[in-house]
Amino acid sequence: MTGLAKMADQEEITLSVQGLRKVIGKREIIKGLDFELKRGEVFGFLGPNGAGKTTTIRMLVGLIKPTAGTIRICGYDLHRQFPEATGSMGCIVENPELYTYLSGWGNLQYFARMMPGINEDRMDEVVRLVGLSTRIHDKVKTYSLGMRQRLGIAQALLGRPKLLILDEPTNGLDPSGIREMREFIRYLAEHEGLTVLVSSHLLSEIQLMCDRVAIISKGSVIRVDTVDNLLSQQEKVSWRLTPLAKGELLLRELAGSAEVKGDKVLTPYNELEIGRWNQALVESGVTVTEMSRRLPSLEDLFLELTGGESID
Amino acid sequence: MINLVYNEMVKITGKRRLVVVTLIIAILISLFTYAQFQQAAENRKRFGDVDWRTALEQRIAGWESRLANGSGRGDEGELEMRIAQQRYYLDRNINPSEPGAPTFVRGFVENGITLLLPLMMMIVAADLVSSEHSSGTIKVLLTRSVRRWRILLSKYLALMLSVSIIITLFGVLSTVISGLVFGFQGWDAPVLTGFTVTGGELDTSGVRSLPQWQFILMELGLAWFVSLVVATITFMLSVLVRTTAAVMGIMLACLIAGTILREMVESWETAKYLFMVNLELIDYLQDADPPIAGMSLGFSLLVLLVWGIGALIVSFVSFTRRDVY
């Protein structure tokens, strides 16, 4: 998609969540979520287990009724206009659970019968898109997890949705499968203009695949921002110095802060100053053997934002 | 909606449920046909090739002697009633058990209605909803652009269809298999129905004679109704309980409790409002003596209907409101 087209599409909101709350018994599981997803973006939903990711996703797809708040999918209210709203959405919640005693094709036929206007051509199209053509007529129980995942995606795409909701899409896949899935999700967003909502507790995954991220912890969204923005604030430079102690002391003076991590010193990244710091180090007799920009993982970020709450 | 029901039928047949039920029924029918054939052969060997009247007279004499020496053990009333009934047949020169496939079918439906047919319905109904929960497919099913009540209705319609198919299969298979052994004659043999009891005496004023085929159709109709109610209650359990094994267990316990309770209910009158005590509908057509005073065909039909409707309401309310985790 060209830049211009992308800009025009950014006006289109495919999912809007307002004041979403869920109370079970006396416990408030979800404490008022607000966010919006735009057309053609991959949105990451990130949080530790028990943060309320799954509950939220299940509310978004209509499996759980929210206690309060509204969910609009392509403008349709999920509660009041359920058929229209879910008609514009495709989803896989947790593992792709399908009817194992039917063939892959049988499953697609089954789903096609539940939506209007899906013919065999569309079914062929999604089968080709997920690359299952050779095995589609075998029983699903003979499929590997990766193949089931693909069939799950085929099923989700069958109704030409505008919004795709994937709960832990890379769970249980092998590294090549994870890579494939990632590329496929990027492809859907960039070339088919789909909005994709991906939840994960794997920070590296979200980092590689998403445009924007919502970080959620204990039932609230702590932060919504683009991945780039979040990362650039945390960008650091790592120095390998001899002698280490002297170098650290000097850098602390120059950069304002420095911390020793292993045999390296970390300082904030400052594009304009960094050359001068290097020069100062060399002039005072410290040898700089390595100097590299270090993009922090979302993990670091997460720990910082949630104040050390563990991921798993 | 037709598409949704079609989908449900695809799942029922995909799981080979109807095939299993058909096989069980076919095997059981073959077994009973063989057993009855053996018994007939044995009788012929022991008593010679006697006229049915002589055989019936012998049977009545047997009951009378049991009554006389007091070995009826509390069943005196029922025995007396049965003797009076058989005498009525004898007086009108009607053979109550004309040999042939129709008689076999009549007896088989009569015996199958309390346990065998409900069990078959259980096989189909027990995992209709609960299996979607245990396999996780409930999540793909409920995220379609179809409202939940329509999904459940399609499941229920598919269940009704399956019940009808099974009852039809039951009738057809028992006719064909037993007919191959006993012959297909006897469709027009008269069957007497409408005996009542007034003041401890058999009242024959309402007795009517029906051709056997008509009686069998009535039986199958009642069997269909009983099966549908049992299937509906199983369906409700399948919605409420998420594991198929638990559904099966609860339902099995109810049905077996029913057969035991029917023997003991005379002293516990309110038990007549339990559905499992009211499954023996066919008995009302032939027998005069209800298990509990005040029970009649109409009463039992009503009790079953109320249970069925109640189960449906509970199913729909629970299914459409429940959060799915």
Side-chain angles (χ1 to χ4, degrees), chain B residues 198-223:
Chain B
T198 32
E201 288 290 309
L202 189 71
D203 181 2
T204 54
S205 57
V207 171
R208 287 186 304 133
S209 169
L210 286 178
Q212 191 153 241
W213 64 268
Q214 218 171 4
F215 190 81
I216 291 172
L217 283 185
M218 281 170 68
E219 279 191 334
L220 285 174
L222 291 177

PDB file of all heavy atoms in Angstrom, chain B residues 198-223:
ATOM      1  N   THR B 198     -62.796 -49.893  37.570  1.00  0.00           N
ATOM      2  CA  THR B 198     -63.692 -49.110  38.425  1.00  0.00           C
ATOM      3  C   THR B 198     -64.033 -49.950  39.645  1.00  0.00           C
ATOM      4  O   THR B 198     -64.571 -51.036  39.519  1.00  0.00           O
ATOM      5  CB  THR B 198     -64.989 -48.696  37.691  1.00  0.00           C
ATOM      6  OG1 THR B 198     -65.319 -49.723  36.761  1.00  0.00           O
ATOM      7  CG2 THR B 198     -64.830 -47.387  36.977  1.00  0.00           C
ATOM      8  N   GLY B 199     -63.665 -49.459  40.774  1.00  0.00           N
ATOM      9  CA  GLY B 199     -63.947 -50.137  42.035  1.00  0.00           C
ATOM     10  C   GLY B 199     -63.343 -51.525  42.115  1.00  0.00           C
ATOM     11  O   GLY B 199     -63.992 -52.466  42.537  1.00  0.00           O
ATOM     12  N   GLY B 200     -62.067 -51.644  41.644  1.00  0.00           N
ATOM     13  CA  GLY B 200     -61.381 -52.925  41.756  1.00  0.00           C
ATOM     14  C   GLY B 200     -61.820 -53.957  40.727  1.00  0.00           C
ATOM     15  O   GLY B 200     -61.303 -55.065  40.686  1.00  0.00           O
ATOM     16  N   GLU B 201     -62.776 -53.603  39.883  1.00  0.00           N
ATOM     17  CA  GLU B 201     -63.248 -54.542  38.859  1.00  0.00           C
ATOM     18  C   GLU B 201     -62.811 -54.066  37.486  1.00  0.00           C
ATOM     19  O   GLU B 201     -62.711 -52.868  37.233  1.00  0.00           O
ATOM     20  CB  GLU B 201     -64.783 -54.624  38.906  1.00  0.00           C
ATOM     21  CG  GLU B 201     -65.341 -55.354  40.114  1.00  0.00           C
ATOM     22  CD  GLU B 201     -65.057 -56.841  40.041  1.00  0.00           C
ATOM     23  OE1 GLU B 201     -65.357 -57.450  39.003  1.00  0.00           O
ATOM     24  OE2 GLU B 201     -64.506 -57.383  41.017  1.00  0.00           O
ATOM     25  N   LEU B 202     -62.544 -55.022  36.603  1.00  0.00           N
ATOM     26  CA  LEU B 202     -62.173 -54.650  35.239  1.00  0.00           C
ATOM     27  C   LEU B 202     -63.412 -54.146  34.510  1.00  0.00           C
ATOM     28  O   LEU B 202     -64.454 -54.809  34.487  1.00  0.00           O
ATOM     29  CB  LEU B 202     -61.600 -55.867  34.498  1.00  0.00           C
ATOM     30  CG  LEU B 202     -60.989 -55.551  33.147  1.00  0.00           C
ATOM     31  CD1 LEU B 202     -59.695 -54.789  33.305  1.00  0.00           C
ATOM     32  CD2 LEU B 202     -60.748 -56.825  32.359  1.00  0.00           C
ATOM     33  N   ASP B 203     -63.249 -52.955  33.959  1.00  0.00           N
ATOM     34  CA  ASP B 203     -64.375 -52.359  33.239  1.00  0.00           C
ATOM     35  C   ASP B 203     -64.091 -52.446  31.745  1.00  0.00           C
ATOM     36  O   ASP B 203     -63.146 -51.858  31.252  1.00  0.00           O
ATOM     37  CB  ASP B 203     -64.516 -50.896  33.694  1.00  0.00           C
ATOM     38  CG  ASP B 203     -65.688 -50.216  33.009  1.00  0.00           C
ATOM     39  OD1 ASP B 203     -66.385 -50.891  32.222  1.00  0.00           O
ATOM     40  OD2 ASP B 203     -65.894 -49.009  33.262  1.00  0.00           O
ATOM     41  N   THR B 204     -64.924 -53.175  31.029  1.00  0.00           N
ATOM     42  CA  THR B 204     -64.665 -53.379  29.607  1.00  0.00           C
ATOM     43  C   THR B 204     -65.588 -52.542  28.739  1.00  0.00           C
ATOM     44  O   THR B 204     -65.646 -52.733  27.531  1.00  0.00           O
ATOM     45  CB  THR B 204     -64.837 -54.861  29.227  1.00  0.00           C
ATOM     46  OG1 THR B 204     -66.129 -55.277  29.660  1.00  0.00           O
ATOM     47  CG2 THR B 204     -63.766 -55.704  29.880  1.00  0.00           C
ATOM     48  N   SER B 205     -66.262 -51.597  29.359  1.00  0.00           N
ATOM     49  CA  SER B 205     -67.243 -50.842  28.567  1.00  0.00           C
ATOM     50  C   SER B 205     -66.565 -49.955  27.518  1.00  0.00           C
ATOM     51  O   SER B 205     -67.140 -49.666  26.475  1.00  0.00           O
ATOM     52  CB  SER B 205     -68.109 -49.983  29.500  1.00  0.00           C
ATOM     53  OG  SER B 205     -67.258 -49.134  30.245  1.00  0.00           O
ATOM     54  N   GLY B 206     -65.301 -49.531  27.802  1.00  0.00           N
ATOM     55  CA  GLY B 206     -64.639 -48.642  26.851  1.00  0.00           C
ATOM     56  C   GLY B 206     -63.701 -49.366  25.890  1.00  0.00           C
ATOM     57  O   GLY B 206     -62.941 -48.735  25.167  1.00  0.00           O
ATOM     58  N   VAL B 207     -63.746 -50.695  25.915  1.00  0.00           N
ATOM     59  CA  VAL B 207     -62.782 -51.440  25.105  1.00  0.00           C
ATOM     60  C   VAL B 207     -63.094 -51.318  23.619  1.00  0.00           C
ATOM     61  O   VAL B 207     -64.238 -51.437  23.193  1.00  0.00           O
ATOM     62  CB  VAL B 207     -62.794 -52.917  25.522  1.00  0.00           C
ATOM     63  CG1 VAL B 207     -61.977 -53.748  24.554  1.00  0.00           C
ATOM     64  CG2 VAL B 207     -62.244 -53.060  26.921  1.00  0.00           C
ATOM     65  N   ARG B 208     -62.031 -51.023  22.854  1.00  0.00           N
ATOM     66  CA  ARG B 208     -62.187 -50.959  21.406  1.00  0.00           C
ATOM     67  C   ARG B 208     -61.189 -51.908  20.762  1.00  0.00           C
ATOM     68  O   ARG B 208     -60.144 -52.205  21.326  1.00  0.00           O
ATOM     69  CB  ARG B 208     -61.923 -49.541  20.898  1.00  0.00           C
ATOM     70  CG  ARG B 208     -63.043 -48.563  21.246  1.00  0.00           C
ATOM     71  CD  ARG B 208     -62.816 -47.231  20.607  1.00  0.00           C
ATOM     72  NE  ARG B 208     -61.503 -46.678  20.980  1.00  0.00           N
ATOM     73  CZ  ARG B 208     -60.661 -46.163  20.096  1.00  0.00           C
ATOM     74  NH1 ARG B 208     -60.951 -46.153  18.812  1.00  0.00           N
ATOM     75  NH2 ARG B 208     -59.512 -45.666  20.512  1.00  0.00           N
ATOM     76  N   SER B 209     -61.545 -52.385  19.594  1.00  0.00           N
ATOM     77  CA  SER B 209     -60.648 -53.279  18.875  1.00  0.00           C
ATOM     78  C   SER B 209     -59.950 -52.504  17.763  1.00  0.00           C
ATOM     79  O   SER B 209     -60.589 -51.774  17.014  1.00  0.00           O
ATOM     80  CB  SER B 209     -61.449 -54.429  18.277  1.00  0.00           C
ATOM     81  OG  SER B 209     -60.640 -55.142  17.389  1.00  0.00           O
ATOM     82  N   LEU B 210     -58.595 -52.617  17.738  1.00  0.00           N
ATOM     83  CA  LEU B 210     -57.824 -51.913  16.713  1.00  0.00           C
ATOM     84  C   LEU B 210     -57.059 -52.920  15.887  1.00  0.00           C
ATOM     85  O   LEU B 210     -56.591 -53.926  16.434  1.00  0.00           O
ATOM     86  CB  LEU B 210     -56.803 -50.972  17.366  1.00  0.00           C
ATOM     87  CG  LEU B 210     -57.274 -49.684  18.011  1.00  0.00           C
ATOM     88  CD1 LEU B 210     -56.084 -48.975  18.617  1.00  0.00           C
ATOM     89  CD2 LEU B 210     -57.950 -48.793  17.000  1.00  0.00           C
ATOM     90  N   PRO B 211     -56.912 -52.684  14.598  1.00  0.00           N
ATOM     91  CA  PRO B 211     -55.989 -53.547  13.853  1.00  0.00           C
ATOM     92  C   PRO B 211     -54.567 -53.319  14.381  1.00  0.00           C
ATOM     93  O   PRO B 211     -54.230 -52.209  14.799  1.00  0.00           O
ATOM     94  CB  PRO B 211     -56.131 -53.091  12.403  1.00  0.00           C
ATOM     95  CG  PRO B 211     -56.774 -51.757  12.467  1.00  0.00           C
ATOM     96  CD  PRO B 211     -57.545 -51.691  13.738  1.00  0.00           C
ATOM     97  N   GLN B 212     -53.768 -54.375  14.333  1.00  0.00           N
ATOM     98  CA  GLN B 212     -52.460 -54.306  14.980  1.00  0.00           C
ATOM     99  C   GLN B 212     -51.563 -53.202  14.430  1.00  0.00           C
ATOM    100  O   GLN B 212     -50.845 -52.544  15.160  1.00  0.00           O
ATOM    101  CB  GLN B 212     -51.764 -55.659  14.865  1.00  0.00           C
ATOM    102  CG  GLN B 212     -50.540 -55.755  15.732  1.00  0.00           C
ATOM    103  CD  GLN B 212     -50.238 -57.175  16.139  1.00  0.00           C
ATOM    104  OE1 GLN B 212     -50.219 -57.509  17.299  1.00  0.00           O
ATOM    105  NE2 GLN B 212     -50.021 -58.026  15.152  1.00  0.00           N
ATOM    106  N   TRP B 213     -51.618 -52.977  13.090  1.00  0.00           N
ATOM    107  CA  TRP B 213     -50.740 -51.950  12.503  1.00  0.00           C
ATOM    108  C   TRP B 213     -51.049 -50.581  13.066  1.00  0.00           C
ATOM    109  O   TRP B 213     -50.146 -49.776  13.301  1.00  0.00           O
ATOM    110  CB  TRP B 213     -50.818 -51.963  10.972  1.00  0.00           C
ATOM    111  CG  TRP B 213     -52.149 -51.614  10.382  1.00  0.00           C
ATOM    112  CD1 TRP B 213     -53.149 -52.472  10.047  1.00  0.00           C
ATOM    113  CD2 TRP B 213     -52.639 -50.294  10.088  1.00  0.00           C
ATOM    114  NE1 TRP B 213     -54.234 -51.785   9.557  1.00  0.00           N
ATOM    115  CE2 TRP B 213     -53.943 -50.443   9.568  1.00  0.00           C
ATOM    116  CE3 TRP B 213     -52.105 -49.003  10.207  1.00  0.00           C
ATOM    117  CZ2 TRP B 213     -54.724 -49.360   9.165  1.00  0.00           C
ATOM    118  CZ3 TRP B 213     -52.877 -47.927   9.794  1.00  0.00           C
ATOM    119  CH2 TRP B 213     -54.179 -48.111   9.283  1.00  0.00           C
ATOM    120  N   GLN B 214     -52.333 -50.345  13.328  1.00  0.00           N
ATOM    121  CA  GLN B 214     -52.712 -49.045  13.875  1.00  0.00           C
ATOM    122  C   GLN B 214     -52.182 -48.911  15.309  1.00  0.00           C
ATOM    123  O   GLN B 214     -51.691 -47.863  15.711  1.00  0.00           O
ATOM    124  CB  GLN B 214     -54.226 -48.950  13.887  1.00  0.00           C
ATOM    125  CG  GLN B 214     -54.720 -47.581  13.528  1.00  0.00           C
ATOM    126  CD  GLN B 214     -56.231 -47.566  13.337  1.00  0.00           C
ATOM    127  OE1 GLN B 214     -56.924 -48.568  13.548  1.00  0.00           O
ATOM    128  NE2 GLN B 214     -56.741 -46.443  12.930  1.00  0.00           N
ATOM    129  N   PHE B 215     -52.293 -50.032  16.039  1.00  0.00           N
ATOM    130  CA  PHE B 215     -51.813 -50.038  17.415  1.00  0.00           C
ATOM    131  C   PHE B 215     -50.306 -49.771  17.448  1.00  0.00           C
ATOM    132  O   PHE B 215     -49.803 -49.014  18.286  1.00  0.00           O
ATOM    133  CB  PHE B 215     -52.139 -51.380  18.065  1.00  0.00           C
ATOM    134  CG  PHE B 215     -51.888 -51.394  19.540  1.00  0.00           C
ATOM    135  CD1 PHE B 215     -52.814 -50.873  20.428  1.00  0.00           C
ATOM    136  CD2 PHE B 215     -50.712 -51.926  20.055  1.00  0.00           C
ATOM    137  CE1 PHE B 215     -52.590 -50.874  21.783  1.00  0.00           C
ATOM    138  CE2 PHE B 215     -50.467 -51.926  21.414  1.00  0.00           C
ATOM    139  CZ  PHE B 215     -51.417 -51.405  22.285  1.00  0.00           C
ATOM    140  N   ILE B 216     -49.586 -50.398  16.509  1.00  0.00           N
ATOM    141  CA  ILE B 216     -48.133 -50.194  16.462  1.00  0.00           C
ATOM    142  C   ILE B 216     -47.799 -48.736  16.158  1.00  0.00           C
ATOM    143  O   ILE B 216     -46.889 -48.153  16.758  1.00  0.00           O
ATOM    144  CB  ILE B 216     -47.477 -51.134  15.414  1.00  0.00           C
ATOM    145  CG1 ILE B 216     -47.574 -52.570  15.913  1.00  0.00           C
ATOM    146  CG2 ILE B 216     -46.032 -50.755  15.145  1.00  0.00           C
ATOM    147  CD1 ILE B 216     -47.135 -53.586  14.903  1.00  0.00           C
ATOM    148  N   LEU B 217     -48.556 -48.120  15.255  1.00  0.00           N
ATOM    149  CA  LEU B 217     -48.319 -46.707  14.958  1.00  0.00           C
ATOM    150  C   LEU B 217     -48.549 -45.845  16.198  1.00  0.00           C
ATOM    151  O   LEU B 217     -47.783 -44.924  16.470  1.00  0.00           O
ATOM    152  CB  LEU B 217     -49.218 -46.237  13.815  1.00  0.00           C
ATOM    153  CG  LEU B 217     -48.790 -46.657  12.413  1.00  0.00           C
ATOM    154  CD1 LEU B 217     -49.697 -46.008  11.366  1.00  0.00           C
ATOM    155  CD2 LEU B 217     -47.334 -46.267  12.143  1.00  0.00           C
ATOM    156  N   MET B 218     -49.594 -46.182  16.938  1.00  0.00           N
ATOM    157  CA  MET B 218     -49.845 -45.443  18.183  1.00  0.00           C
ATOM    158  C   MET B 218     -48.672 -45.598  19.142  1.00  0.00           C
ATOM    159  O   MET B 218     -48.218 -44.637  19.760  1.00  0.00           O
ATOM    160  CB  MET B 218     -51.127 -45.957  18.864  1.00  0.00           C
ATOM    161  CG  MET B 218     -52.397 -45.427  18.248  1.00  0.00           C
ATOM    162  SD  MET B 218     -53.850 -46.291  18.905  1.00  0.00           S
ATOM    163  CE  MET B 218     -53.847 -45.725  20.597  1.00  0.00           C
ATOM    164  N   GLU B 219     -48.209 -46.852  19.248  1.00  0.00           N
ATOM    165  CA  GLU B 219     -47.065 -47.125  20.127  1.00  0.00           C
ATOM    166  C   GLU B 219     -45.854 -46.304  19.708  1.00  0.00           C
ATOM    167  O   GLU B 219     -45.176 -45.686  20.536  1.00  0.00           O
ATOM    168  CB  GLU B 219     -46.679 -48.605  20.051  1.00  0.00           C
ATOM    169  CG  GLU B 219     -47.512 -49.518  20.892  1.00  0.00           C
ATOM    170  CD  GLU B 219     -46.879 -50.896  20.957  1.00  0.00           C
ATOM    171  OE1 GLU B 219     -46.143 -51.280  20.028  1.00  0.00           O
ATOM    172  OE2 GLU B 219     -47.109 -51.594  21.943  1.00  0.00           O
ATOM    173  N   LEU B 220     -45.581 -46.304  18.385  1.00  0.00           N
ATOM    174  CA  LEU B 220     -44.411 -45.578  17.898  1.00  0.00           C
ATOM    175  C   LEU B 220     -44.572 -44.079  18.147  1.00  0.00           C
ATOM    176  O   LEU B 220     -43.588 -43.380  18.453  1.00  0.00           O
ATOM    177  CB  LEU B 220     -44.178 -45.855  16.413  1.00  0.00           C
ATOM    178  CG  LEU B 220     -43.594 -47.231  16.093  1.00  0.00           C
ATOM    179  CD1 LEU B 220     -43.541 -47.463  14.586  1.00  0.00           C
ATOM    180  CD2 LEU B 220     -42.200 -47.391  16.690  1.00  0.00           C
ATOM    181  N   GLY B 221     -45.785 -43.599  18.025  1.00  0.00           N
ATOM    182  CA  GLY B 221     -46.051 -42.185  18.312  1.00  0.00           C
ATOM    183  C   GLY B 221     -45.714 -41.852  19.758  1.00  0.00           C
ATOM    184  O   GLY B 221     -45.020 -40.873  20.042  1.00  0.00           O
ATOM    185  N   LEU B 222     -46.185 -42.702  20.663  1.00  0.00           N
ATOM    186  CA  LEU B 222     -45.894 -42.480  22.086  1.00  0.00           C
ATOM    187  C   LEU B 222     -44.399 -42.608  22.351  1.00  0.00           C
ATOM    188  O   LEU B 222     -43.818 -41.823  23.112  1.00  0.00           O
ATOM    189  CB  LEU B 222     -46.672 -43.479  22.951  1.00  0.00           C
ATOM    190  CG  LEU B 222     -48.191 -43.289  22.982  1.00  0.00           C
ATOM    191  CD1 LEU B 222     -48.840 -44.380  23.800  1.00  0.00           C
ATOM    192  CD2 LEU B 222     -48.540 -41.921  23.550  1.00  0.00           C
ATOM    193  N   ALA B 223     -43.777 -43.607  21.706  1.00  0.00           N
ATOM    194  CA  ALA B 223     -42.333 -43.802  21.879  1.00  0.00           C
ATOM    195  C   ALA B 223     -41.581 -42.563  21.396  1.00  0.00           C
ATOM    196  O   ALA B 223     -40.611 -42.119  22.015  1.00  0.00           O
ATOM    197  CB  ALA B 223     -41.867 -45.028  21.113  1.00  0.00           C
TER     198      ALA B 223
END
